[in-house]
Amino acid sequence: MVPFLAGLRGARVQLDLAVDSNDFVMITVFSNGAMVSRTDADTIQPIVLTENAQPGDTFLVAIRIQAGESNTKISASRLLITAPANRPNPGIFREEILAAQPVVAAFPDGRAEHEAILDAAVKSVDLNALDRGDQAAFDESLRKAQNKLQALTPWLKQFTIRADGNSHIDMAWLWPWTETVEVVRNTFRSALDLMREYPDFKFTMSSARTYSWMEEKYPDLFKEIKERVKEGRWEIVGGMWVEPDLNMPGGESLVRQILVGKRYFQQKFGVDVKIGWNPDSFGYNWQLPQIYKKSGIDTFVTQKLMWAHEFTMFPHKLFWWEAPDGSRLLTYFPHDYAMGIDPVQLGKDVSVWVPSLYGTKPPANADMMHLYGVGDHGGGPTRTMLDTATRWMEPDVVFPNLQLSTAKAFFTELEPKLASMNVPVWRDELYFEYHRGVFTTQAETKRRIRKTEELLLNAEKFSAISTRFGKAYPSDDFDRGWKDLLFDDFHDIFPGSGIAVNYLDAKRNLEDVGRVGEKILDASLEEIVANVNLKGSGVPVVVFNSLAWPREEVIETEVRLPEEASSVEVVSASGKPVGSQVLSADRRARRVRLLLKASVPGLGYSTYYVRAIAKAESTPALVQGRADILENEFVRLKVDGKTGCMTSLFDKRGNRESLAPSETDSGGPKDAICGNLLQAFRDKPKQWDAWNIDADFEKEHWELDKADEVALVENGPVRAILRVKNHFQNSTFVRDIIVTAGSPRVDVRMTADWHEKHILLKVAMPLSAHNKMATFEIPYGSIERPTTRNTRAEQGKFEVPALHWADLSDGNHGLSLLNDCKYGYDAKGNVLRLSLLRSPEWPDPHADEGRHEFTYSLYAHGGNWKDALTVRHGYELNYPLLARQTERHTGILPEQHSFAELKAENVVLSAVKKAEDDDATIYRFYEWAGKESDIELWPAAAVESAVETDLMERPLQPLEMKQGGVIVHTKPYEIKTVRVKLSGISSDSKGDSKQ
């Protein structure tokens, strides 16, 4: 019940509500029995109760909220009183004072004078007149107070607040993507409608996928957007297909986000996006400045790190973010991405942001950017926000210079001032000290994304090669496949922080991409195989290597023989026997599943022949397995039969034991060696269940140091397997520890039947190597992070992201812990751990329940990770050799061949593809060891021309060609893209030597 007093005569009265919910809600408001509003939480506006309040008016307000979420609540409710036009507005005056106070306090020059003006203005207000009921006297005093306050206007107007209207729209989060399409439509429709009413209003939006939805489903609306873009009132930023996670996608996926996004914006709107925009991702990898700069993006807007304050506070609002190669990206942190237009808050922001950007003696025109608009579930700027902005832009208001603006205008105004601003430089990742659980949650989706990314890159490489033989490159299929994969890189899908249906959608989507990718890959390999001269005796098996260095590995394949056979042998193209091992044989179907030890040149293939023999000849075993020991020429490991612990991992090349007792309180026993130890931790964060692992997660944990079974389950000439079984509460784990001939890598192939709630599962490796820093792979590079916990910053990095591997080594030896689909690690003291599974209950109450299969690997080595080529071993685990059975036939290619060579160990050829705009071939590689080099690229074909390009495939400079190769000068940690025009095929590659 709301009664109104005489002092409010003629006022406009509104009810301002705020509703908090993790669910979609419908809000219905009744006043005096009549419905006055029906809306959702995203679009709710202040509700007018009366335009002309009179003494004695009474309003009975009832609110009905329909929501499925039990935690839904009214978080705020207040009455907004707007004085009639013929009276001074005390609310405005109050906010003028509250906004000006922190600004005045932030700048020493003139502070005393400015405080005196504030004090005089406040003291001029005759509050006693209100006690006397003398409205006229109060109004007159308020006019005098406002006149005195006007003396601050010239000084305050030197500060410009560029208010940038935007709407952050999550592609899928607490709702499915199908709902997002309508959220986008409603948000865009609202922005376009408001542009007609407010001529100064401008709108900023990222994410090419949102525009393509409108193009497909609402073409008239899309046409309106194009017109507003031409007018300069609709600003396109971001340049990506969606706003992805920026820690876990591979480097090439991040490049494709920008390549696909920028090309879409260029083709549909004629806009070359220059502003990176990703305000809501959970951390930002250290190579991002280079990726952005080499994509033609000069500035970056984000703010997520400002959420984190448990350990440290990020020190800058504007800074040069420098990548390992030296690329610098001007980066700006606004207050948030979904603010309103609140004058008091804006005054506080000016008092913080302006000194942070310019110091306490700012230039005559000191700008800051403020993002306003309802976000997450869309909404964008509201009429209330724009009405408030319009009022506070009036010349009679004592307030900084508020402008409805754009991000481009902010950075354009900032650019000439940079030289005098002493902008700090940040040479590190933007690590987010908060949402650390996202590296592990929804593990199956993470696995599918990793595998799909690898599949598309393999398919591109071999499809580009197959065009040399006349096969068409399926550009449209790749375009669709990449767009679908990139969608699932979104920062609430890949991290696992959404509702359950989003992961069912991702599964269907990624399976569709997988079918397309497999079809392209199979057709491309078939085309290549069809051109190989296969003349040996036996069934030909062609083994392909998608990586650009020679590999020697044991692979598993199935062969159908022309006749029944009691035994088989495998020989190379030159007829030499190679190590093999029959796993199973179906004599009636003439099918044999076997292992063979393959040797394959870089980005090429080798041919092997499988043939029936009467009796298998005895061959020396290349691996040895016993009840508790596995061994090959590189390593010897021992597993305790009772505990299941790996008690030794001996590096035979370096004559060093890699394991040691734990030296931390939670890394396993301190009095004995227990490597490969599964650990379960109570994992119930205080907030954000799917997102967070709390800093005290180690407080309650269990070590799975009682094995249900340890058994030697395979012991052949090229592979041996020890199986370890464990259980914990409702879950069971089977780990096959695998040693193969010719490999220093120990693979652990794990199957988990996972049925826990609020448990985090890790595997721990206590090591004999010691270092204050461990190294972790990031997109297109690596980063060192502390193993100590001496400072608050070090304590905050108790769980960190990585791609294929993490490594702890000293100058003499170490161990790399590799994975094929995991992303969360921690390194503490001498213990290196990989996070395997979590089990949060919100927002998906059954997250990760069920069966999981994955592999992690132990790579004991001498020297450091660079000496040991850990980067290559990580790629080899993730990009296995590909075997294809075929038939004997003639062809123009030899039985072994390489289609490209990079003559350097310190680079990785990450992508080979057809150029976007012609038939040239794109080669992309990156330098990982910190060595400036002249890299020689040999495409194994006649080179007509070679040009270095940026990541968008725009030419930069011609490249030197030398005897069929291309010379590319490469700086430390640099990503390089080369566009090569090829003609014909060459079989003169050095990978063609006989096996």
Side-chain angles (χ1 to χ4, degrees), residues 333-385:
F333 283 13
H335 184 129
D336 204 324
Y337 59 79
M339 301 291 285
I341 300 291
D342 179 347
V344 176
Q345 183 60 55
L346 285 171
K348 293 176 182 177
D349 288 351
V350 169
S351 74
V352 174
W353 261 255
V354 171
S356 177
L357 269 59
Y358 305 96
T360 55
K361 294 184 178 181
N365 295 300
D367 289 43
M368 59 168 277
M369 182 166 62
H370 171 77
L371 305 185
Y372 72 98
V374 179
D376 292 342
H377 198 247
T382 66
R383 184 171 285 101
T384 299
M385 293 175 189

Side-chain angles (χ1 to χ4, degrees), residues 130-141:
L130 291 179
D131 294 335
R132 300 191 305 269
D134 190 344
Q135 187 71 56
F138 174 75
D139 287 356
E140 182 59 27
S141 73

Side-chain angles (χ1 to χ4, degrees), residues 894-908:
E895 292 167 301
Q896 177 173 295
H897 185 65
S898 170
F899 292 103
E901 291 181 83
L902 281 174
K903 294 195 172 181
E905 290 186 335
N906 60 314
V907 293
V908 170

Side-chain angles (χ1 to χ4, degrees), residues 867-881:
D867 304 325
L869 301 177
T870 289
V871 171
R872 288 190 168 187
H873 288 275
Y875 271 93
E876 288 168 1
L877 174 62
N878 282 271
Y879 290 83
L881 298 175

Side-chain angles (χ1 to χ4, degrees), residues 78 95 161-165 338-346 370-374 381-393 399 402-404:
R78 59 176 181 163
E95 291 183 321
I161 302 169
R162 294 191 176 273
D164 190 356
M339 301 291 285
I341 300 291
D342 179 347
V344 176
Q345 183 60 55
L346 285 171
H370 171 77
L371 305 185
Y372 72 98
V374 179
T382 66
R383 184 171 285 101
T384 299
M385 293 175 189
L386 292 171
D387 285 342
T388 303
T390 300
R391 179 67 185 94
W392 285 81
M393 291 163 62
F399 194 67
L402 177 62
Q403 296 182 12
L404 300 181

